[in-house]
Amino acid sequence: MARSIARAYVSAALIMANAAARLGGSARRERGRRSLTDDSFIQTVKECGEADGLSGRIQFKLDKDYKDVKTGYAAAIAARVADEAGCGTKPKRLFRPAGKHEAKHVAAGLDLWYTMDCGADDEELDAHAASLRASEKVREFLAKGDHKGIAVFEPQIVHKALAVEKDAYRSLQTHYDAINLDGAWEITTGDPTVTVQVLDSGLDPDHPDLQKHLWRNEAECQGEAGVDDDDNGFVDDCHGYNHADDTGTDLLGDGSHGTHCSGTIAADNMNDGIGVAGVAGGDGTEDGQGNALTGVRLMTSVGFGKTDVNGFAEGLTYGADNGARVSSNSWGYNSWGMYDQAELDAIDYYNSEAAGFVVFAAGNSDSKKLWYPGCYGEDEFHGAIGVAA
């Protein structure tokens, strides 16, 4: 079992390591939206709520063609929608204002997405009660029938990390031998001009196996603390951003899962026998000052934080806006057949804006059902790349 899971990760990492050779621009293809009055969707929301499958947040997207949206009253309409939903909280943009990237977000309609708490942050509600409350409020709202100005209205689904077994040393990474990775390394050990985003539980920035391959946002690394020095909408994002806990200075998040995934991609291959070998971790060549000249760069985005599990859609757009060409996502949902439309929109944006690949684990449950986001899309240029073992 451990070997098959590891093989899935190696397959994903191989896709990422060789992505630069296949990257190219492609037009974004519009996909249909589920109807706001779809009875099957409403029933599924009910079942997910009862099964603790909802986070306790609701998110919605305004209709770009609605007259009041077109004339600049989006915030007022969002406030009206939140009031009608009855959660007792104010909405905020799901994708925060993106500074120099805002025009691209507006063109993609990301500025029309809003989110609101409907139990997730209520300390008097446990996870089950929050899931039930979000389900109830979504179903009540959709049953009203007056959906003017709204394109999407949905509960946020519970996200889960798809855990893997750890490998301690290269000699134990026998799955690399099974796919002849040594032969692949004769062609390339990773291109330093390629940045791979890892959207997961974070990364240990002090890990000795990862020091030479961390992505650097130089304007922030050399900038003033507490200031958005590069005008990208995020503060202090030197090596990435913690979207769950809303900070750029603590990228460790919840647990070691993200660090493990980062190591599979780009752990240093030639550092005196420390740790493991990464698929695209370079050949040990340095510039004389200890900086690696080979191997991909790792951008860290956190969705599984210390205080919250959130920010996955925003994390994907962050990667696309800040130069990542590949996004590695070893997470999914608790419920098959369900998806967060905002995250699918973010995947579309990644494909279009970054001309890049979004890689997802297909899951560890040996299931043939449709598990999103891994099953989303038509091909590697339009949607996600789902990797299974």
Side-chain angles (χ1 to χ4, degrees):
M1 180 62 179
R3 176 175 291 194
S4 65
I5 294 173
R7 188 177 297 118
Y9 270 80
V10 172
S11 299
L14 282 174
I15 292 172
M16 291 183 279
N18 292 284
R22 300 191 293 140
L23 287 169
S26 57
R28 179 178 182 269
R29 298 185 185 179
E30 291 291 332
R31 293 169 173 78
R33 308 290 192 201
R34 57 191 169 211
S35 170
L36 292 173
T37 57
D38 185 344
D39 290 339
S40 63
F41 171 63
I42 295 173
Q43 178 61 29
T44 301
V45 169
K46 181 177 185 296
E47 294 171 356
C48 283
E50 294 170 347
D52 300 351
L54 307 180
S55 71
R57 293 187 178 92
I58 292 175
Q59 48 205 30
F60 58 92
K61 185 178 185 181
L62 302 181
D63 183 354
K64 63 182 177 62
D65 295 321
Y66 187 61
K67 60 179 182 178
D68 288 346
V69 174
K70 295 171 68 174
T71 53
Y73 293 96
I77 298 172
R80 185 256 299 171
V81 172
D83 184 61
E84 292 179 357
C87 293
T89 58
K90 295 181 179 181
K92 65 177 182 179
R93 279 183 48 174
L94 194 153
F95 301 92
R96 73 188 68 193
K100 63 187 178 183
H101 302 297
E102 180 67 4
K104 296 183 294 186
H105 283 211
V106 171
L110 300 180
D111 62 312
L112 301 179
W113 274 102
Y114 287 82
T115 181
M116 58 185 169
D117 176 64
C118 203
D121 297 331
D122 190 333
E123 295 181 357
E124 296 182 359
L125 300 180
D126 61 15
H128 180 65
S131 181
L132 288 176
R133 186 172 189 229
S135 171
E136 178 185 14
K137 293 300 182 182
V138 168
R139 290 182 287 117
E140 287 179 352
F141 182 87
L142 294 178
K144 292 178 180 179
D146 182 9
H147 306 134
K148 293 180 180 179
I150 307 171
V152 181
F153 192 89
E154 63 185 14
Q156 185 188 68
I157 308 169
V158 170
H159 294 63
K160 65 177 180 179
L162 300 176
V164 299
E165 298 295 328
K166 281 192 173 183
D167 291 304
Y169 305 99
R170 170 64 183 96
S171 62
L172 300 181
Q173 293 174 282
T174 55
H175 46 286
Y176 282 6
D177 300 325
I179 59 172
N180 190 25
L181 189 56
D182 288 329
W185 281 336
E186 293 180 5
I187 300 172
T188 180
T189 57
D191 186 338
T193 66
V194 174
T195 297
V196 177
Q197 175 192 37
V198 180
L199 176 49
D200 207 284
S201 65
L203 177 145
D204 179 0
D206 297 324
H207 197 293
D209 229 6
L210 301 173
Q211 291 297 300
K212 298 178 182 178
H213 298 290
L214 300 180
W215 171 75
R216 289 179 59 86
N217 182 0
E218 291 296 344
E220 293 289 343
C221 293
Q222 304 297 328
E224 182 179 351
V227 175
D228 181 11
D229 299 283
D230 62 343
D231 188 32
N232 70 347
F234 298 86
V235 174
D236 298 336
D237 55 321
C238 175
H239 298 299
Y241 200 78
N242 183 334
H243 303 271
D245 300 321
D246 197 16
T247 176
T249 58
D250 183 355
L251 301 182
L252 191 55
D254 178 28
S256 60
H257 187 248
T259 298
H260 168 83
C261 295
S262 297
T264 298
I265 297 167
D268 193 350
N269 289 351
M270 299 290 180
N271 57 348
D272 298 325
I274 298 174
V276 298
V279 170
D283 62 8
T285 304
E286 298 181 355
D287 62 1
Q289 299 179 358
N291 300 311
L293 296 177
T294 57
V296 300
R297 298 301 180 254
L298 294 166
M299 175 190 293
T300 301
S301 290
V302 183
F304 299 94
K306 294 177 180 177
T307 64
D308 202 358
V309 177
N310 200 18
F312 296 91
E314 183 181 72
L316 287 165
T317 59
Y318 175 89
D321 286 336
N322 290 282
R325 304 300 300 280
V326 183
S327 182
S328 170
N329 300 267
S330 299
W331 53 269
Y333 306 132
N334 273 352
S335 305
W336 72 272
M338 288 286 287
Y339 54 82
D340 281 357
Q341 184 62 53
E343 287 163 9
L344 302 194
D345 281 8
I347 293 172
D348 288 345
Y349 180 82
Y350 207 107
N351 293 156
S352 177
E353 179 56 36
F357 297 105
V358 183
V359 182
F360 274 90
N364 300 331
S365 58
D366 191 26
S367 171
K368 295 182 179 180
K369 295 179 179 179
L370 294 178
W371 288 92
Y372 287 88
C375 71
Y376 173 59
E378 304 159 18
D379 54 46
E380 65 267 35
F381 298 107
H382 305 94
I385 299 175
V387 179

